[in-house]
Amino acid sequence: MSNETILIVDDEKEIRNLIGIYLKNEGFHVLEACDGEEGLQLVKKHKVHLIVLDLMMPKVNGIEMCMKVREIAEMPIIMLTAKSQDMDKISGLTIGADDYVTKPFNPLELIARIKSQLRRYLKMSVLHSSNREELEVGDLRINTATHEVFVNNERVKLTPREFAILELLVSNPGIVMSAEQIYEKVWKEEAFQSENTVMVHIRKIRERIEANPRNPQYIKTVWGVGYKVEKVL
């Protein structure tokens, strides 16, 4: 039985129900949304492994949702639409969709396409996770095995604590972490008045890796919340 989560985004309830029945029979966990706006919220709240996405919907349509999803995630997207013109297919694939199915469709064919996309995606995820010695964000590269840091291919020296903070942020691109979270994960102890300690270390890291520490390219401050490294797609 599968345990991957499939998100179905379609404004036709009958279509969502039909696809959902077949997916649940295959053991998948199913989420449903009636438009792109609701679909985006589910992507942000849940670990979604694949999206079946209708092209024509109210509020946020399939093209808009696909583009916004590609800003934050890399799971496969199968576009679903009643249109069959080549330009619609090209538009969907160009903005980030992985496959394209035209209504009316054979549910068994759609399930086969979903499984095919999932196999490729999960295989690539395993390969990616097994090669985590090298982490990159733009021109910043860190090697978790040798504890080396390079900016524009030039080695930068960091203390073990500074390296641990940088590794933590780069390993979680796009995630905002508070000073307390950083302290507890790096220092391995309960945070108590730790904000200044973390701030000092962040400042020192920026002095070493940023061309302009006052206008940082890598480690961003989210005022009132914490720090993050932007995700580069």
Side-chain angles (χ1 to χ4, degrees):
M1 297 289 284
S2 302
N3 58 7
E4 289 83 15
T5 296
I6 311 298
L7 171 60
I8 307 168
V9 187
D10 196 305
D11 59 334
E12 296 184 55
K13 185 177 180 179
E14 295 78 9
I15 296 293
R16 299 199 306 271
N17 289 342
L18 175 64
I19 299 173
I21 289 171
Y22 278 85
L23 287 173
K24 290 173 184 177
N25 286 340
E26 294 290 334
F28 292 107
H29 177 59
V30 176
L31 298 174
E32 296 184 20
C34 62
D35 57 57
E37 183 177 329
E38 184 181 0
L40 284 169
Q41 293 302 317
L42 290 174
V43 169
K44 294 175 182 178
K45 291 180 181 179
H46 301 274
K47 173 61 177 176
V48 176
H49 298 89
L50 182 144
I51 301 174
V52 178
L53 179 60
D54 187 32
L55 181 63
M56 301 301 294
M57 294 183 295
K59 295 183 179 179
V60 177
N61 64 36
I63 294 291
E64 292 172 315
M65 178 177 170
C66 185
M67 290 190 294
K68 291 182 179 180
V69 168
R70 281 293 172 254
E71 294 176 359
I72 59 175
E74 300 175 353
M75 80 284 285
I77 297 176
I78 298 179
M79 299 294 290
L80 198 62
T81 180
K83 295 185 176 181
S84 59
Q85 288 87 352
D86 287 340
M87 284 307 299
D88 295 313
K89 177 185 286 189
I90 292 171
S91 296
L93 297 176
T94 299
I95 52 87
D98 298 275
D99 202 353
Y100 190 96
V101 176
T102 303
K103 299 177 183 177
F105 58 88
N106 183 330
L108 294 178
E109 179 186 351
L110 177 60
I111 298 301
R113 288 174 180 265
I114 288 172
K115 290 182 177 180
S116 176
Q117 289 293 334
L118 276 176
R119 282 194 297 269
R120 183 178 62 83
Y121 171 65
L122 296 174
K123 181 179 180 180
M124 291 302 296
S125 296
V126 170
L127 291 173
H128 180 68
S129 61
S130 66
N131 189 31
R132 295 293 287 174
E133 288 186 358
E134 291 282 344
L135 301 174
E136 295 186 16
V137 178
D139 293 322
L140 171 66
R141 177 167 53 92
I142 69 175
N143 188 304
T144 60
T146 63
H147 279 222
E148 293 178 303
V149 178
F150 300 87
V151 178
N152 293 318
N153 293 321
E154 294 187 9
R155 186 175 177 181
V156 176
K157 292 185 178 181
L158 298 180
T159 68
R161 195 86 74 182
E162 291 165 358
F163 182 90
I165 293 172
L166 183 61
E167 179 185 2
L168 175 65
L169 293 173
V170 174
S171 297
N172 296 276
I175 304 299
V176 181
M177 294 193 173
S178 67
E180 290 78 11
Q181 289 175 313
I182 294 173
Y183 188 90
E184 290 177 355
K185 290 181 180 294
V186 172
W187 274 260
K188 308 296 183 183
E189 60 186 42
E190 184 177 353
F192 178 72
Q193 296 182 343
S194 57
E195 184 172 352
N196 188 59
T197 300
V198 172
M199 182 178 65
V200 170
H201 280 74
I202 293 289
R203 187 182 72 239
K204 290 181 178 178
I205 296 171
R206 283 173 171 163
E207 290 174 351
R208 291 169 170 80
I209 70 171
E210 302 283 2
N212 181 0
R214 293 188 177 183
N215 184 25
Q217 175 184 354
Y218 302 112
I219 301 180
K220 305 286 189 178
T221 298
V222 180
W223 295 107
V225 184
Y227 305 94
K228 71 173 181 177
V229 167
E230 296 285 5
K231 183 174 183 178
V232 177
L233 296 179

